[in-house]
Amino acid sequence: MKLGNIDITIYILSDSMELEESLNSVPRIEGTEFRIRTVSSCDDIQYEKESIVILISTSLEDIERCREIEDKCYRYYPVYIENITEEREIPDFIAALWPKEESREARNFRIKKLIKLIKTEVYEWVYNTYLYTTIDNIPELVWVKDKKGAHILVNKTFARTVHKEREDIEGRGHYYIWDISPEEYESGEFVCLESEDEVMTAKKTLVFEEPVKTKDGMMHFITYKSPIFDKHNDVIGTVGVAHNVTDFSNLGIQLSLLIANIPFPLLICTNDWETMQVNSYFQAAFHMDGVDLALFDYRKWKSEKLTAVSEPKTNEKKHSVSQEFTTVVDGKERIYVVIEQEIRDYFFNSAGYFVLLHDVTMERNYEKKILQAANTDPLTGLYNRRFFYNYVQELQGRALTLLYMDLDHFKEINDSFGHNRGDDVLRRTAKAMCEIFPQGTAFRLGGDEFALIIDGIPDEEELQAQCDKMVYSVKDMFRETDSRISVSIGKVSSNGKDMDIDSLIHEGDAKMYSIKQEHHKETEGQERGGRENAT
């Protein structure tokens, strides 16, 4: 770290300029800026609370008079010039004692050494301030130890944790600080002795999970310990940072109980998808009695037991993937939404996964029933008009064939035999459609109106044969009661390009109506012939 220049003002209390002229020849010292002024009294000294002042004088009395500066500026260094030839007490506040007579080179050497000392002291204060401000404002415990295990410094969190003042801790060992007996310390149990030795031996940072015995009971720490080296690369101590997870450890037990009792199949995996925990609902749902959970391979189980029925949905914001699967349990199909949620730590690093399986079998069955009710004709079981239009829109642009059907003289059935008979005719017609046209999708559009869609364009002769069979089947139902009953079928195909859906339906309806007219003419002709023969 590089600090800014240190600004120093040197005042020489004298009537002579000789010393100033000498000191002005001193070259600039890196990291400092200094100015030299010769003044005649203390009143001529100018300073502020941030000032660093060196005062040089041959008069101890003048230095004493100027001493008030010490309390009003950042740093004050009085230099007394005098030849001490007899026993004489020098006040402790004097920063340096120089002889009166010496060469210019010696004098300049002394001022350089003093400026470097001031620089060192200021830097030391700044570095210590940075250090203690940093370590005292983080929630972790921080300490520095020498090789023997004595604490050189600790932060406020450390002091609060052991219920002691920082001054009482520094220089003391583990058993005093943590309030355990020397015998317990010597046994090495719950006192971190081995981890300190490991760090100094490995000469690198190591991470430990350490239970520590204190007068408040057991505490649980995740500790990061690093060796400290001297300039010869020899280890002289260690620095440690400990994250107190005592509450998290207790919370972990509670979380385990919570996970075990969440009423959904749930498991926890590591970052490499190794199984850490499987709750009781997962074990019960998939009959895992007797399975060694430590060897349970979730991803293998998933690939072997589950069949995907939807595309995976990724939530980038939540770092999760959800997908719907089916599986067979006790001979019955079950449907699950599987959510694989990434677990991220405080620093957003991936720490593992939890997998939640939500049984949606009942919901999907209800949805199927609701859709079936919305899209199906309740009388015949065929798809209804609503679904017909949705279905043909989905086939837009594809080759298909439409058969538009309408029963001939259906009204006479209802009028002559009642609606129950009419309903039976509709049901039997629907059944015949499904049997004769297995390659198609059948619809009841309403009343006695039906439609059938075939994906693609089938062979014309084969399709006509099916249509003839359908007409014969309907006539056969009423051969003994009313030979007029038949079905009119309008047949139309499209390659998906020459005709849109609406045009296809319109043409199919028109062809069906044209055939119906022919059927009616045939029926009328048969009826006239019958009357004439009777006459």
Side-chain angles (χ1 to χ4, degrees), residues 290-317:
V291 176
D292 188 348
L293 299 179
L295 300 176
F296 178 67
D297 188 333
Y298 160 70
R299 305 200 93 177
K300 182 180 179 182
W301 173 86
K302 175 184 171 184
S303 66
E304 293 177 350
K305 299 294 185 181
L306 304 183
T307 302
V309 293
S310 73
E311 293 297 319
K313 296 179 181 178
T314 301
N315 188 321
E316 298 290 348
K317 186 175 181 181

Side-chain angles (χ1 to χ4, degrees), residues 153-196:
L153 67 86
V154 298
N155 69 342
K156 288 182 178 179
T157 303
F158 190 109
R160 284 195 301 268
T161 302
V162 299
H163 308 297
K164 289 181 173 61
E165 296 296 325
R166 183 153 38 196
E167 294 75 16
D168 296 331
I169 297 170
E170 293 173 353
R172 304 300 295 267
H174 185 102
Y175 67 85
Y176 167 79
I177 294 170
W178 293 95
D179 297 298
I180 64 173
S181 68
E183 291 75 22
E184 289 176 308
Y185 177 75
E186 290 298 330
S187 71
E189 187 176 15
F190 308 128
V191 295
C192 317
L193 278 176
E194 293 181 356
S195 61
E196 301 287 346

Side-chain angles (χ1 to χ4, degrees), residues 463-528:
L463 181 61
Q464 186 58 53
Q466 287 178 299
C467 292
D468 293 343
K469 185 176 180 181
M470 181 69 195
V471 173
Y472 177 82
S473 176
V474 173
K475 284 185 175 183
D476 191 55
M477 296 180 198
F478 308 98
R479 191 173 301 278
E480 296 179 358
T481 55
D482 192 338
S483 61
R484 294 177 304 168
I485 305 301
S486 182
V487 60
S488 299
I489 304 175
K491 182 175 59 178
V492 60
S493 296
S494 170
N495 60 10
K497 300 177 182 178
D498 300 335
M499 189 184 303
D500 61 25
I501 293 297
D502 291 333
S503 299
L504 186 75
I505 294 172
H506 179 73
E507 184 173 340
D509 183 56
K511 285 189 174 183
M512 179 275 296
Y513 184 75
S514 176
I515 293 172
K516 180 179 281 293
Q517 293 297 101
E518 293 179 5
H519 285 179
H520 278 282
K521 288 178 182 178
E522 291 175 2
T523 302
E524 290 173 359
Q526 291 171 358
E527 289 178 348
R528 278 197 305 272

Side-chain angles (χ1 to χ4, degrees), residues 315-332:
N315 188 321
E316 298 290 348
K317 186 175 181 181
K318 292 184 177 181
H319 306 283
S320 67
V321 177
S322 62
Q323 191 173 6
E324 198 160 303
F325 294 86
T326 60
T327 188
V328 177
V329 180
D330 295 331
K332 297 179 180 179

